[in-house]
Amino acid sequence: MYANRRILLFSGGNLGDWAVTDIQPDDVLVGIDRGALFLVRRGLAPHFALGDFDSVTAEELQEIKNSCPELDACDPIMKDLTDTEMGFFWALRHRPREIVLLGVLGTRFDHSLANVHLLRIALEQGIPCRIVDETNELLLIDRTVQLRKSRFSHVSLLPLTMDVTGITLTGFQYPLHKATLTIGQSLGISNVLVADTGTVEIDSGYLLVIQSRD
C-alpha cells in the first residue's frame, strides 16, 4: 500500500514548524505517540498513529483518534521496543522509497542515540533513511554519496563501526584522500562544503554523515 512512497515518522522529541515544511503530497505521515498530536494540531491527519501514548492526556488521545484513520495503541510497560522503533519497523515492512525520522532527537540522549542506530538497520535493508531536526540532518553511508549545499553549513563525519577506511572527500574545505577514521577521533568534525556538491567516498565501514548548523 505504501511501497515506493516516502514515509515520514513524527516522534515525540524536538519538533516545530520546520518539521512540516518539506511534506510532499504523496508522503505517508506516521504519528508516534505525541508526534501524532503534533500533526493533528497542525491540521495534518496521520495515515497511521502508534505508540503507548503515555505522553498525551486522555483528551489529547481522543483528538488523535478523531483525526487518524488507523491507530495502534500498546501497553506502556509490556513491550520490548520503544515507540519510535515500532514505527520504524512498521515503515520498513512497507518497503518505502525513503524513511525520514523527525522528532527522534531530544532531551533523552539514550533515546536519541538508539534512534541514530536505526539508520544502520535501514542501510542493511537497502532503504534510504535520514534523521532530520531543526539544526541537523543525519545519514549513514557504506558507499559513495553526493551532498548538496543546503541550509546546513557544516558537515561532520563520525565512524559507526570501529574503523572506516578509504575516506576520500572532494568539494570540501578540508579534503581527505583514502583516510581512516577510528571511533574516538575528531578529525571528521566540522568540515565545510565549498563546492555546490561534494562527494564522500569510503572503502569499508559505516560512516555517519552529519550536516548541521548552529
Side-chain angles (χ1 to χ4, degrees):
M1 181 178 179
Y2 300 133
N4 300 317
R5 294 169 67 180
R6 200 170 69 147
I7 296 181
L8 275 55
L9 301 178
F10 292 81
S11 197
N14 293 335
L15 288 169
D17 292 338
W18 58 269
V20 299
T21 57
D22 188 41
I23 293 176
Q24 300 167 14
D26 196 43
D27 285 343
V28 179
L29 307 182
V30 178
I32 300 172
D33 201 278
R34 195 166 183 84
L37 184 67
F38 169 83
L39 289 171
V40 167
R41 290 193 169 174
R42 278 160 178 75
L44 299 166
H47 294 81
F48 181 54
L50 80 163
D52 55 28
F53 296 101
D54 62 351
S55 299
V56 298
T57 66
E59 292 77 14
E60 290 170 337
L61 180 56
Q62 190 58 51
E63 277 187 66
I64 297 169
K65 289 179 177 179
N66 291 342
S67 299
C68 185
E70 186 179 358
L71 184 143
D72 185 7
C74 66
D75 188 283
I77 298 174
M78 300 303 294
K79 63 176 187 176
D80 294 325
L81 302 176
T82 67
D83 290 346
T84 299
E85 281 181 291
M86 289 190 293
F88 173 78
F89 286 117
W90 179 91
L92 277 184
R93 287 195 297 271
H94 288 279
R95 307 301 298 175
R97 183 177 78 248
E98 182 185 19
I99 298 172
V100 182
L101 301 172
L102 305 112
V104 301
L105 304 178
T107 57
R108 285 286 300 270
F109 183 72
D110 51 350
H111 281 267
S112 297
L113 187 57
N115 292 334
V116 170
H117 288 178
L118 295 178
L119 296 175
R120 177 168 181 161
I121 298 172
L123 183 64
E124 290 173 344
Q125 295 216 12
I127 303 294
C129 185
R130 293 178 291 134
I131 292 175
V132 181
D133 75 1
E134 188 173 14
T135 55
N136 303 276
E137 181 171 324
L138 287 70
L139 174 71
L140 187 67
I141 66 168
D142 63 355
R143 57 179 63 86
T144 299
V145 68
Q146 280 200 332
L147 303 178
R148 295 182 181 275
K149 273 190 175 180
S150 67
R151 62 190 177 96
F152 302 110
S153 55
H154 295 87
V155 180
S156 293
L157 309 175
L158 292 170
L160 206 61
T161 46
M162 187 59 68
D163 299 292
V164 179
T165 67
I167 303 170
T168 298
L169 304 180
T170 55
F172 289 83
Q173 183 173 350
Y174 306 109
L176 290 174
H177 181 70
K178 295 296 182 182
T180 296
L181 283 179
T182 300
I183 284 180
Q185 288 183 311
S186 62
L187 178 65
I189 296 292
S190 289
N191 210 330
V192 178
L193 196 58
V194 293
D196 289 336
T197 61
T199 303
V200 181
E201 302 175 65
I202 68 173
D203 289 340
S204 69
Y206 287 162
L207 186 66
L208 189 62
V209 179
I210 305 172
Q211 296 177 263
S212 60
R213 64 183 178 89
D214 294 327

